[in-house]
Amino acid sequence: FPSHDMVPNDKRRERYEKKRKQKLVSFNIANPHEADLLDHANEMEDFSGWVKGQLDEDMKKNESSQ
């Protein structure tokens, strides 16, 4: 039987997951360059954080160019 304190954690996780959205990135591994990109992405410790940083920089660049 699960312990009683598992239930609140499950509910908390469920509420957290409802707030999240995921964006899929695909790599064509038949293309050598894209296969290298995938290898590099897999070696990153925080791919999601890196992508968010890239998006943030792009947004700032676009704001300043308008």
Side-chain angles (χ1 to χ4, degrees):
F1 291 97
S3 68
H4 289 317
D5 40 4
M6 289 290 285
V7 175
N9 285 337
D10 289 347
K11 293 289 185 193
R12 246 177 288 181
R13 177 173 288 125
E14 192 176 303
R15 284 194 307 266
Y16 174 74
E17 290 297 328
K18 285 182 180 180
K19 298 175 188 175
R20 296 180 49 199
K21 297 292 179 194
Q22 294 182 339
K23 187 83 173 157
L24 179 68
V25 178
S26 65
F27 297 89
N28 177 358
I29 57 172
N31 176 314
H33 179 67
E34 288 196 26
D36 288 344
L37 292 174
L38 177 60
D39 288 342
H40 185 69
N42 285 335
E43 291 172 1
M44 295 180 127
E45 193 170 309
D46 184 10
F47 179 71
S48 177
W50 179 83
V51 169
K52 292 172 187 175
Q54 295 297 304
L55 291 169
D56 193 42
E57 284 184 31
D58 189 60
M59 287 172 52
K60 290 175 184 172
K61 184 174 66 175
N62 287 336
E63 286 173 3
S64 65
S65 66
Q66 293 178 359

